[in-house]
Amino acid sequence: MAHTDSPKIYIPVPLFFIAFFYFSLLAQNTFYLSYDLLQTNAAQAVAWIFIGVGAAHIGAAWAQFIKTANSVTTIRPAASLQVGGVYAFSRNPMYIGFFFLYAGAAVLWGNWWTFILMPFLALVIDLYVVRREEKYLRRTFGKAYKEYKRNVRRWL
């Protein structure tokens, strides 16, 4: 019988970031906050740095998944525990990348609401995604995951 257990996260993780971002745009249109500070050349440079860092994290995480023939889909079983590459430094480098992209987009669009909503987004990602993934990985990989968790931080 094939192994069919998974984290059972049925909503693709990027959709959380997109939904929160669009909600922040709605909030900006409804409860306007001045964004002059975010329109400076320095702020725009920081935005592009954040986007670059985010893309690098996501790209490195994807590369690790490809290298190990694993699926990034959170409704499929994992073929192996990710411990190499960027996963040697963080247990969630792809989500860190999404947060950097989200912050960079916030600056580019000049929207403080995106930053205001970021803690709530982090809470949703932590409770709905990361905690479920960790329970699944503990069930699936047992001692190997426990050792990995002891040596590598959840975030940064």
Side-chain angles (χ1 to χ4, degrees):
M1 184 172 169
H3 179 68
T4 59
D5 192 14
S6 75
K8 295 178 180 53
I9 300 165
Y10 299 105
I11 301 169
V13 176
L15 288 182
F16 288 107
F17 288 87
I18 292 167
F20 269 81
F21 188 78
Y22 280 108
F23 184 70
S24 75
L25 295 177
L26 176 65
Q28 176 66 9
N29 287 334
T30 307
F31 306 103
Y32 179 80
L33 294 175
S34 176
Y35 57 88
D36 292 341
L37 180 64
L38 297 176
Q39 297 301 307
T40 65
N41 289 336
Q44 296 299 295
V46 168
W48 286 109
I49 290 169
F50 278 10
I51 289 169
V53 168
H57 272 80
I58 293 167
W62 268 88
Q64 182 65 25
F65 272 84
I66 291 167
K67 178 180 174 185
T68 59
N70 238 322
S71 172
V72 295
T73 307
T74 53
I75 58 172
R76 291 193 170 159
S80 62
L81 181 62
Q82 299 300 314
V83 296
V86 291
Y87 286 90
F89 306 102
S90 169
R91 297 194 315 258
N92 296 290
M94 197 171 299
Y95 304 149
I96 291 170
F98 284 130
F99 276 107
F100 272 104
L101 287 177
Y102 180 86
V107 175
L108 285 181
W109 266 267
N111 190 346
W112 287 110
W113 283 104
T114 310
F115 290 108
I116 293 167
L117 294 174
M118 193 180 285
F120 300 103
L121 172 59
L123 187 63
V124 168
I125 295 298
D126 187 57
L127 294 176
Y128 180 73
V129 178
V130 173
R131 302 286 168 120
R132 285 181 183 211
E133 286 181 341
E134 288 180 346
K135 285 180 186 176
Y136 165 71
L137 293 170
R138 192 171 46 246
R139 273 192 319 269
T140 305
F141 299 107
K143 281 186 176 181
Y145 180 68
K146 189 176 181 180
E147 182 68 22
Y148 173 65
K149 191 175 174 182
R150 184 177 24 247
N151 294 315
V152 179
R153 293 176 184 219
R154 179 181 282 160
W155 296 107
L156 295 175

